[in-house]
Amino acid sequence: MTRILVTGASGCVGQYISHWLLLHSDAELLLWLRDPSKLTAVLADHPRVRLLVGDLRDTDRFVAELATVNRVIHTATAWGDPERAEQVNVVAVKRLLQLLNPHVVEQIIYFSTASILDRDLRPLPEAQAYGTEYIQTKARCLEQLEQHPLAAKIIAVFPTLVFGGRVDGTSPYPTSYLTEGLAEASRWLWLARWLRADASFHFIHAEDIARICGQFATRPHEPNREPGQGALRRVVMGQQAISVDDAVATLCRWRGVGRTPGIPLWAWLIETLIKILPIEVNAWDRFSIRQRHFIHDPVSPPERFGGESHAPTLETVLSDSGLPNRGSPRTQRKVLPTT
């Protein structure tokens, strides 16, 4: 029986992945998490589930278990505290790879962030220069993994903006930070409906992340064939890019807020809004404002690997989120249940 280790298993993405694997594989799952009480979408006493309870910084507690795993899906991460981010996002990853048996492990799916890559999926120099502690540590870790002896077995995945769970708390899955922010974003539509911004981005639902990772983890691992890359494979997970204007318009329709012709967000106007509104801006935020278009080519939804998206559009994301729909009946669509 294949043994798959999932780190960060109690998080939003970790639980979507673990649930998918229980439904669509016969693998034994080792779920590494700090607090078992947060495991809400997966039965802790499932016969194919074994919990590894502990902090990722205490990797040596599970030396015996790590030597037996065939696949690793590493979603665990840390941010906010620079010292902890360094220990979890860089040092612990290095130690985890050291403890894997190179003759037993077949594949490692390593979670990073799309923020550290440019349009062509190359490392973005500004990530290390201006990034938060989270972004900087992810950039440094990727740099090390590119040269690692196990690089040919590593698939580095880079989620774009992640939705998941529900704003009303009725989902068995934890709510992602982005989905939690939908209610707050709705409260600013009175202002956003007057503005226009030349910017764009990708998004992806955690269920679609699970489908991509599940397809990788349940198929034979293959050498990297992505053009312009080395042994380590880079996959940016997301739907096709959407403009900020289209996103605001969609949210306005969903919430029944009228859209106006709008005022372009010139650089001087952005600076003025930063000064008069309760907004804290760091060096990375200012780089992001200048960059504007965080898009990637290729970007990978489940369809790129033979799957089908759970939430391919922003409308389906909003429907899945449980955010009340106060718009016209045309926007009141349903999303199929997660399977």
Side-chain angles (χ1 to χ4, degrees):
M1 179 183 292
T2 300
R3 177 172 283 187
I4 302 176
L5 170 68
V6 181
T7 71
S10 63
C12 176
V13 170
Q15 295 207 48
Y16 273 96
I17 290 173
S18 300
H19 186 258
W20 191 97
L21 289 170
L22 284 177
L23 289 179
H24 299 281
S25 80
D26 60 0
E28 178 186 2
L29 303 185
L30 301 185
L31 304 186
W32 193 339
L33 70 176
R34 289 187 297 166
D35 185 354
S37 68
K38 294 182 178 180
L39 194 66
T40 53
V42 175
L43 293 176
D45 60 355
H46 190 285
R48 290 195 284 118
V49 168
R50 179 180 173 189
L51 302 187
L52 304 183
V53 181
D55 194 288
L56 198 68
R57 292 169 290 183
D58 300 325
T59 311
D60 286 17
R61 289 181 55 191
F62 304 115
V63 171
E65 290 84 356
L66 291 175
T68 67
V69 299
N70 308 109
R71 308 266 175 144
V72 176
I73 303 178
H74 181 63
T75 76
T77 192
W79 62 88
D81 179 349
E83 181 178 354
R84 182 168 181 268
E86 178 70 21
Q87 291 298 313
V88 172
N89 299 344
V90 181
V91 177
V93 175
K94 182 178 180 180
R95 182 57 178 157
L96 177 112
L97 295 182
Q98 287 175 338
L99 295 177
L100 298 174
N101 186 334
H103 303 293
V104 175
V105 68
E106 303 166 3
Q107 181 188 77
I108 301 150
I109 300 175
Y110 164 76
F111 271 71
S112 187
T113 170
S115 299
I116 69 172
L117 298 182
D118 67 10
R119 182 188 184 108
D120 300 313
L121 277 58
R122 297 172 301 204
L124 188 67
E126 289 85 355
Q128 295 207 45
Y130 307 124
T132 63
E133 77 287 332
Y134 170 72
I135 290 173
Q136 288 182 348
T137 53
K138 286 296 186 181
R140 284 200 299 275
C141 189
L142 177 65
E143 191 174 59
Q144 294 177 15
L145 292 180
E146 294 275 7
Q147 308 302 321
H148 198 277
L150 292 174
K153 296 183 178 183
I154 298 175
I155 303 174
V157 295
F158 302 84
T160 49
L161 298 179
V162 178
F163 291 95
R166 289 175 63 88
V167 297
D168 55 12
T170 60
S171 171
Y173 300 99
T175 306
S176 75
Y177 289 103
L178 196 59
T179 295
E180 283 184 348
L182 286 173
E184 177 66 22
S186 297
R187 287 193 282 271
W188 287 95
L189 288 177
W190 65 269
L191 175 61
R193 73 193 189 103
W194 291 93
L195 304 173
R196 295 293 181 273
D198 180 24
S200 53
F201 62 93
H202 302 282
F203 67 87
I204 190 163
H205 195 279
E207 169 65 17
D208 290 325
I209 292 176
R211 294 181 182 193
I212 294 171
C213 290
Q215 289 164 18
F216 287 150
T218 55
R219 296 174 181 176
H221 183 70
E222 298 179 349
N224 185 18
R225 295 188 176 88
E226 299 283 355
Q229 299 182 8
L232 182 147
R233 184 178 183 181
R234 302 183 208 131
V235 175
V236 172
M237 299 191 294
Q239 300 295 338
Q240 292 302 309
I242 182 173
S243 72
V244 169
D245 286 345
D246 285 344
V248 171
T250 299
L251 194 53
C252 282
R253 288 195 302 271
W254 191 264
R255 299 293 286 167
V257 175
R259 192 88 157 104
T260 70
I263 303 169
L265 271 176
W266 295 294
W268 65 267
L269 182 54
I270 294 175
E271 290 295 332
T272 301
L273 290 173
I274 290 172
K275 290 177 181 178
I276 64 175
L277 295 175
I279 301 174
E280 294 184 8
V281 178
N282 56 34
W284 179 254
D285 294 329
R286 292 191 179 277
F287 165 72
S288 299
I289 291 170
R290 295 193 304 270
Q291 180 84 351
R292 299 197 313 277
H293 299 281
F294 280 87
I295 55 178
H296 306 276
D297 184 20
V299 65
S300 299
E303 283 78 3
R304 187 165 184 246
F305 310 106
E308 182 180 355
S309 289
H310 170 74
T313 66
L314 193 54
E315 286 87 352
T316 53
V317 164
L318 293 174
S319 180
D320 193 78
S321 74
L323 185 71
N325 186 348
R326 298 173 182 168
S328 67
R330 289 185 304 168
T331 66
Q332 297 176 6
R333 303 173 184 173
K334 294 183 178 180
V335 176
L336 294 175
T338 299
T339 57

